[in-house]
């Protein structure tokens, strides 16, 4: 999600104290204060470090990959007031063991939503959808489980739960939980572990109430994650089983390759790009030989550091206005640095891989964050290298990065139901352009904010 919430009234009381670097002048400080208010008003806990739920257990090393460590059903009072969850849904938080790209156990958290009733019958197990979120931030504080509306609210998790699915949603290791090298942004291989192992962990909490089968849906960073999950579940030694398919919406595939596009599009003006700096930060923590100061200016480093006081709404106004001159050094040639190439393969998962089930991909033609041509290219590579893939790509005209998430629901909800109903998907790839019914549709992804209890009754 990349839409700063527009709130009419800003109260300045929620500001965490931040040391402003000299590069952040008074206008920058004021904008920081406002956007921090937006981010922090969504937080369930003002500081996740003070909530023992998120603390790594003292005996973490006694657990194995896929184990469930803690499961906490949120009380009826908290689900209705501390979080903003629609009536009838139950919320749980869970702590489990995910895995790093090399299989090392990593602490991870997530949440689960359970619908009021099972539309398939009271005694039937609930069907399971895993929701893989897009860029939420870069620290434990920004975990969707720590967001009152679970960060994506009606854009996905509430809507999926109201279709009658149990929704399992990983925060991704390093958001919620604390991990040694910090949150590994856009590390698709690691996030796919978070997805599959969240399913394994949740099976321990609901031994009879959920199906073994599951589908994953994700957007942006989560679109990358769901695509990688489909590839992960094709690997017998790693698969958790029961995988029925993946829906990948506006996926952040191979976005290191977008550097020339980002620079060309900016044409000397604002880059409107915040993802690359945070990927580089993560790479420098994973590969100590990668000296980020060789590739980005000190302004970027200062702003990125400041951005860690908040989540995405704080990062965007700080970094989006920067130009190629502000942002990049050495001709922005870091995509060819050996550490970046290694990261792209091991962590991001660059390249085509066999799919463990059907894949449905959507991209908006008006996406200004990730161009649809990029997704089309990666999709073609997938189909060329693995012609037996069961894969479908739909281009949605008139829609941007977030708008596509709303529109695609009408297409992917029945697609998910078909997977559970054992409808076969032909082998091979299909591509189509969605035909919209009417000109003049809304093109803005609205930010929905709960106003609390409706007082009419
Ligand atoms: C930003 O917030 C801090 C902390 O609340 C405050 O001290 C400072 O005056 C604010 N700055 C601006 C420019 O609003
Ligand atoms: C870890 O410690 C908790 C108590 O603090 C205990 O309940 C749990 O069984 C321990 N887990 C393992 C795997 O030993």
């Amino acid at each position: 999600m990349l839409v700063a919430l527009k709130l009419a009234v800003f109260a300045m009381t929620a500001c965490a104290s931040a040391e402003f670097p000299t590069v952040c002048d008074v206008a920058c400080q004021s904008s920081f204060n406002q956007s921090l208010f937006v981010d922090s008003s969504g937080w369930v806990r003002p500081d996740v470090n003070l909530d023992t739920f998120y603390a790594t257990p003292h005996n973490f090393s006694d657990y194995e990959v896929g184990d469930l460590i803690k499961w906490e059903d949120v009380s009826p009072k908290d689900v209705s007031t501390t979080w903003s969850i629609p009536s009838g849904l139950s919320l749980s938080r869970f702590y489990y063991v995910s895995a790093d790209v090399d299989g090392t156990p990593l602490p991870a958290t997530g949440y689960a939503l359970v619908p009021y009733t099972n539309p398939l019958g009271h005694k039937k197990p609930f069907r399971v959808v895993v929701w893989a979120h897009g860029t939420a931030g870069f620290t434990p504080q920004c975990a969707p489980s720590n967001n009152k509306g679970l960060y994506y609210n009606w854009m996905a998790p509430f809507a999926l739960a109201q279709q009658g699915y149990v929704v399992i949603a990983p925060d991704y290791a390093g958001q919620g939980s604390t991990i040694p090298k910090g949150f590994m942004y856009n590390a698709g291989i690691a996030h796919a572990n978070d997805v599959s192992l969240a399913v394994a962990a949740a099976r321990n909490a609901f031994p009879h109430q959920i199906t073994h089968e599951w589908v994953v849906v994700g957007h942006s960073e989560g679109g990358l994650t769901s695509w990688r999950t489909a590839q992960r579940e094709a690997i017998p030694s790693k698969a958790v089983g029961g995988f029925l398919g993946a829906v990948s919406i506006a996926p952040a595939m191979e976005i290191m390759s977008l550097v020339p596009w980002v620079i060309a599009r900016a044409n000397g003006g604002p880059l409107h790009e915040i993802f690359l700096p945070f990927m580089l930060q993560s790479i420098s923590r994973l590969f100590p030989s990668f000296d980020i100061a060789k590739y980005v200016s000190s302004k970027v480093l200062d702003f990125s550091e400041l951005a860690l006081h908040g989540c995405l709404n704080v990062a965007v106004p700080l970094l989006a206005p920067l130009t190629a001159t502000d942002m990049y050094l050495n001709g922005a040639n870091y995509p060819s640095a050996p550490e970046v190439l290694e990261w792209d393969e091991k962590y991001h998962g660059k390249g085509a891989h066999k799919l463990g089930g059907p894949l449905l991909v959507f991209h908006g033609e008006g996406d200004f964050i990730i161009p649809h041509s990029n997704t089309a290219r990666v999709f073609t590579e997938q189909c060329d290298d693995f012609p037996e893939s069961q894969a479908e790509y739909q281009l949605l005209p008139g829609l941007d990065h977030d708008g596509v998430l709303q529109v695609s629901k009408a297409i992917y909800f029945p697609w998910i139901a078909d997977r559970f109903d054992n409808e076969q998907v032909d082998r091979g790839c299909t591509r189509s352009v969605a035909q919209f019914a009417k000109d003049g549709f809304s093109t803005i992804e609205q930010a929905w904010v709960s106003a609390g209890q409706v007082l009419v009754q």
Side-chain angles (χ1 to χ4, degrees):
M1 232 178 335
L2 193 69
V3 184
L5 306 187
K6 293 181 198 73
L7 298 187
V9 184
F10 288 109
M12 284 304 154
T13 48
C15 300
S17 58
E19 289 278 326
F20 290 107
T22 47
V23 71
C24 188
D25 60 15
V26 172
C28 159
Q29 293 177 18
S30 158
S31 143
F32 171 91
N33 282 359
Q34 291 182 11
S35 53
L36 182 60
F37 175 75
V38 175
D39 271 340
S40 60
S41 21
W43 293 340
V44 173
R45 307 285 185 237
D47 183 353
V48 287
N49 296 312
L50 302 178
D51 182 343
T52 53
F53 170 79
Y54 291 103
T56 311
H58 62 93
N59 55 355
F60 179 74
S61 59
D62 295 341
Y63 290 91
E64 286 172 22
V65 167
D67 278 358
L68 177 67
I69 300 180
K70 283 186 253 189
W71 185 275
E72 178 197 282
D73 291 332
V74 175
S75 72
K77 179 170 176 291
D78 281 345
V79 80
S80 332
T81 54
T82 307
W83 278 266
S84 315
I85 307 295
S87 50
L89 300 183
S90 305
L91 176 68
S92 307
R93 303 191 292 183
F94 62 104
Y95 200 110
Y96 67 108
V97 187
S98 186
D100 205 339
V101 295
D102 63 359
T104 309
L106 283 180
T109 58
Y111 68 83
L113 281 173
V114 177
Y116 180 77
T117 191
N118 189 343
L120 302 172
H122 175 57
K123 297 208 164 128
K124 291 259 174 67
F126 278 100
R127 292 171 169 183
V128 176
V129 173
V130 180
W131 165 245
H133 68 85
T135 307
F138 313 96
T139 64
Q141 185 65 24
C142 305
S145 66
N146 189 46
N147 184 279
K148 291 174 185 169
L150 305 175
Y151 189 51
Y152 265 87
N153 52 66
W154 291 102
M155 292 176 82
F158 297 168
L160 284 162
Q162 290 208 328
Q163 293 286 306
Y165 297 107
V166 160
V167 176
I168 305 288
D171 285 328
Y172 304 150
Q175 281 180 53
S177 67
T178 298
I179 59 173
K181 290 176 184 169
F183 174 59
M184 298 181 281
Y185 184 41
N186 276 324
I189 301 283
H191 302 341
N193 288 342
D194 297 333
V195 165
S196 294
L197 297 166
V199 172
R203 284 174 181 158
N204 294 302
F206 296 111
H208 307 295
Q209 295 104 320
I210 59 173
T211 56
H212 185 70
E213 292 73 26
W214 54 285
V215 165
V216 60
V217 181
H219 174 244
S220 195
E221 180 186 24
L224 158 73
T225 300
S226 63
W227 194 314
R228 295 284 176 249
T229 301
Q231 295 169 332
R232 182 192 195 280
E233 289 298 310
I235 305 169
S237 61
K238 291 175 97 181
V240 301
F243 177 70
L244 294 180
V247 179
S248 174
I249 305 163
M253 308 301 290
E254 305 190 5
I255 52 179
M256 269 299 163
S257 66
L258 294 181
V259 175
W261 175 80
V262 166
I263 293 175
R265 178 190 59 174
N267 194 20
L271 290 163
H272 294 298
E273 211 296 310
I274 67 149
F275 305 105
L276 293 163
F278 289 102
M279 281 156 73
L280 295 181
Q281 296 275 5
S282 170
I283 294 169
S284 71
R285 293 191 302 262
L286 295 167
F287 297 88
S289 64
F290 181 72
D291 180 9
I292 188 173
K294 266 171 47 186
Y295 302 101
V296 299
S297 66
S298 60
K299 195 170 182 180
V300 172
L301 295 179
D302 287 348
F303 277 151
S304 309
E305 182 73 32
L306 185 58
L308 299 184
H309 288 273
C311 298
L312 192 57
N313 286 304
V314 166
V316 171
L318 286 175
L319 289 158
L322 298 185
T323 64
T325 323
D326 295 326
M327 191 111 119
Y328 297 126
L329 307 175
N330 280 325
N333 64 350
Y334 56 81
S336 58
E339 295 89 345
V340 173
L341 294 174
E342 192 178 338
W343 175 86
D344 228 349
E345 197 185 309
K346 275 198 199 157
Y347 288 86
H348 183 76
K350 185 180 168 145
H353 308 277
K354 188 174 188 251
L355 299 180
L359 172 69
L360 174 60
V361 180
F362 296 99
H363 214 100
E365 199 167 24
D367 191 327
F368 57 89
I369 295 173
I370 301 164
H372 63 90
S373 56
N374 182 65
T375 298
R377 179 185 64 76
V378 177
F379 184 83
T380 296
E381 214 175 281
Q382 175 71 42
C383 298
D384 288 352
D385 291 5
F386 297 92
E388 76 285 6
S389 297
Q390 298 161 287
E392 181 180 348
Y393 175 63
Q394 290 203 21
L395 182 67
L396 304 184
L399 297 167
D400 66 13
H401 192 67
D402 289 334
V404 70
L405 181 54
Q406 294 288 29
V407 168
S408 58
K409 278 186 256 190
I411 309 168
Y412 79 72
F413 281 175
W415 188 90
I416 294 176
D418 284 350
R419 301 290 74 73
F420 281 100
D421 291 339
N422 294 316
E423 295 285 338
Q424 286 310 299
V425 177
D426 291 338
R427 298 212 168 261
C429 292
T430 60
R431 295 169 177 80
S432 61
V433 179
Q435 300 294 309
F436 51 90
K438 214 170 169 323
D439 276 326
F441 49 82
S442 163
T443 56
I444 300 296
E445 168 46 33
Q446 303 291 344
W448 303 105
V449 183
S450 170
Q453 185 168 17
V454 179
L455 296 172
V456 180
Q457 31 194 319

